[in-house]
Amino acid sequence: MTRQRVDIRDLAGARVLVLGAGVSGPGAVRILHALGAEPVVADSRPEAVELLRGALPDGVTCTGVGLDRAAEMLVDTGPDRVDLVVTSPGWRPDSPLLRTAAEAGLELWGDVELAWRADAAGRFGPPRTWLAVTGTNGKTTTTSMLEAICLEAGMAVRACGNIGLPVTEVLLAEPRVEVLAAELSSFQLHWAPGCRPDVGVVLNVAEDHLDWHGSMEAYAAAKAQVLTGRVAVAGAEDEIASRLLAAAPAPTRIGVRLGAPGAGEFGVIDGVLTARIGEQEGDDDEVALLPAVDVRPPGPAGILDALSAAAVAMSVGARPEHVAAALRGFTVAAHRAELVDTVDDVRYVDDSKATNPHAARTSLLAGGTMVWVAGGLLKGADVDPLVAEVSHVLRGVVLIGRDRGRIAEALSRHAPGVPVVELASGDDDGAAAPDEPQQTMDRAVAEAARMATGGDTVLLAPAAASMDMFTDYGHRGRSFALAVGRVAGR
């Protein structure tokens, strides 16, 4: 069954089911209310719905229902029928409620799709310029760099999406913003099929979230959504990203690489970030941006993020001097290869944001011998290639988290001589006490400190998500820092 398609300009009086009362829920409710719709929020946690309703501004209301009632409304064709479903990005396509909605012929939007359609229709002022950043790793750093460059160029820009405010909140609360630097996940892009950013970048594509998407092909296809606008940018040395760029419908396509750039690319020449993008059609003269040694975070990943941010920003009017000034003053956010302390000539580095093997690889190969603290939720990713590649730098490994056994098996195959310590915790049965994660991290860092010798690095680069033990990767990183403080005697 297929119901009539929904027009964002004609939502007045429509009943819209909002699935999930979490991060994206409040903004979706507020924007739907502003459009004249009747939002109904469904969540498995009644307390979450009540919390959302209590946080809404005066005059903004919504109805709250449980999941069973939501399922009934999806198939109702009478007065309680639903006209549209707006889902939290974390809800998988095979979730029972979303399958029911699809079978009922209802359109399924995420909050990014809702914001895109409302903005394109001019419902909250003139349409903004959308700059979208996605990739398996480096999204937050690149988006932050992009915002900094655009600000230096005098643009009214706001970093949003998975960084800062949801896009819906920016449309509602910041009418003067003209440029959206949006960090978008594969989940958000899956639920935003109509979104066509003015400029989009796919930094890289490696195994991640395969348990959600079902296949590498589906995961990559979601990322490719950002390459459908006027300008497409992608990592030219990343096999999948470069393939997506070659197939992109964007009339202008820009490759980014660590080597010397070809015509129409950004890269590095003699240690200097360089663009071969001229102001006139066909002009591919080399334009120096800034020395690579001035980029923070240092190393290949940071340089690629900087080049990507520069390529996107210069596509909407930023000039080389804006790029140089912004990137020289840029500092990396917490939990991204952050030096926590040096104790007895051993460096302790927090890269808790390395939530998949591809991200962990960068820090593990940054130089020197490592005692690796790893583990968590692998989300379907294969850790064997990473372990095989980094085995030569490992002094020892301490494993925590639910999927630690899979990493231990990979180590036994590819690094049988490396000492490995596995630490069990209450997270294994889903009943961890509130202080259990910190106790486990304290033990992990203490074990790592015993393995390390002068000149080594104890590296928290979990290669896995944190939610089995911690609230998020920030919680995990802070726990690591506390544990390091105890090793240091503070």
Side-chain angles (χ1 to χ4, degrees):
M1 174 172 39
T2 301
R3 302 190 189 183
Q4 185 174 355
R5 298 293 89 180
V6 176
D7 190 329
I8 194 74
R9 296 165 296 186
D10 192 29
L11 277 184
R15 181 176 287 108
V16 180
L17 183 63
V18 178
L19 296 181
V23 175
S24 65
V29 168
R30 289 179 60 206
I31 206 168
L32 287 166
H33 186 273
L35 294 168
E38 178 188 335
V40 179
V41 180
D43 198 290
S44 61
R45 304 157 298 155
E47 67 278 8
V49 176
E50 289 309 308
L51 186 63
L52 181 153
R53 295 175 69 186
L56 294 174
D58 291 343
V60 179
T61 61
C62 68
T63 304
V65 299
L67 300 188
D68 290 342
R69 177 59 184 141
E72 295 172 354
M73 295 175 68
L74 289 171
V75 297
D76 196 315
T77 57
D80 289 336
R81 73 182 184 278
V82 169
D83 300 296
L84 172 68
V85 176
V86 175
T87 180
S88 165
W91 282 52
R92 290 166 51 147
D94 59 358
S95 302
L97 274 180
L98 293 180
R99 286 204 308 266
T100 299
E103 291 166 1
L106 289 162
E107 286 194 78
L108 303 174
W109 299 353
D111 65 315
V112 172
E113 180 77 3
L114 175 64
W116 166 261
R117 295 196 184 209
D119 186 53
R123 296 303 303 268
F124 298 95
R128 282 76 172 169
T129 297
W130 285 57
L131 311 178
V133 178
T134 195
T136 303
N137 300 301
K139 295 186 293 295
T140 299
T141 299
T142 302
T143 305
S144 300
M145 287 176 167
L146 174 59
E147 181 187 44
I149 297 169
C150 290
L151 286 171
E152 186 69 30
M155 302 180 199
V157 62
R158 165 67 78 175
C160 55
N162 272 353
I163 176 175
L165 292 174
V167 183
T168 50
E169 298 279 4
V170 176
L171 296 188
L172 289 162
E174 303 195 20
R176 295 183 181 177
V177 168
E178 299 174 345
V179 179
L180 303 176
E183 177 191 325
L184 300 179
S185 71
S186 59
F187 303 161
Q188 291 169 310
L189 290 166
H190 175 89
W191 295 121
C195 183
R196 300 288 183 269
D198 297 87
V199 186
V201 55
V202 175
L203 301 169
N204 44 63
V205 183
E207 282 192 349
D208 201 12
H209 304 302
L210 301 191
D211 53 345
W212 196 98
H213 289 280
S215 70
M216 194 66 182
E217 292 73 19
Y219 175 56
K223 296 292 189 188
Q225 183 68 23
V226 305
L227 304 180
T228 56
R230 178 177 62 84
V231 179
V233 181
E237 295 169 331
D238 182 279
E239 179 182 354
I240 297 177
S242 63
R243 188 166 69 242
L244 296 179
L245 182 64
T252 298
R253 291 174 287 184
I254 301 172
V256 172
R257 63 177 69 246
L258 288 173
E265 291 187 336
F266 282 60
V268 181
I269 297 177
D270 295 330
V272 176
L273 275 63
T274 302
R276 290 189 65 186
I277 303 291
E279 295 182 355
Q280 305 298 323
E281 188 70 26
D283 181 1
D284 63 352
D285 290 341
E286 295 175 5
V287 179
L289 302 176
L290 79 163
V293 295
D294 290 346
V295 174
R296 296 291 179 273
I303 292 170
L304 284 171
D305 292 345
L307 288 165
S308 299
V312 174
M314 290 176 67
S315 296
V316 291
R319 298 188 58 79
E321 58 267 28
H322 301 140
V323 173
L327 293 182
R328 283 195 176 99
F330 182 80
T331 55
V332 69
H335 315 300
R336 294 164 174 82
E338 179 182 13
L339 177 63
V340 174
D341 204 348
T342 300
V343 182
D344 296 331
D345 199 29
V346 174
R347 300 170 74 251
Y348 290 80
V349 174
D350 168 15
D351 196 18
S352 183
K353 187 63 170 65
T355 57
N356 56 68
H358 185 267
R361 174 185 180 275
T362 299
S363 288
L364 284 164
L365 296 177
T369 305
M370 304 283 171
V371 178
W372 184 23
V373 180
L377 296 174
L378 285 171
K379 303 172 291 182
D382 181 7
V383 76
D384 276 72
L386 170 67
V387 172
E389 184 176 7
V390 305
S391 61
H392 67 286
V393 306
L394 299 177
R395 174 86 64 195
V397 181
V398 182
L399 297 175
I400 62 175
R402 193 168 300 175
D403 289 340
R404 63 183 179 276
R406 289 179 52 195
I407 303 176
E409 291 169 2
L411 286 160
S412 69
R413 287 189 288 270
H414 303 292
V418 174
V420 177
V421 174
E422 291 189 61
L423 299 179
S425 61
D427 68 283
D428 293 333
D429 59 11
D435 59 348
E436 177 70 30
Q438 186 62 59
Q439 291 175 355
T440 302
M441 187 62 78
D442 287 348
R443 292 164 57 205
V445 173
E447 291 285 353
R450 279 191 283 272
M451 292 182 181
T453 61
D456 289 349
T457 297
V458 171
L459 172 68
L460 174 67
S466 58
M467 283 78 77
D468 55 337
M469 292 177 62
F470 302 93
T471 304
D472 52 28
Y473 73 82
H475 178 203
R476 181 168 60 189
R478 291 189 296 274
S479 295
F480 178 77
L482 285 172
V484 172
R486 291 185 175 109
V487 167
R490 289 193 298 275

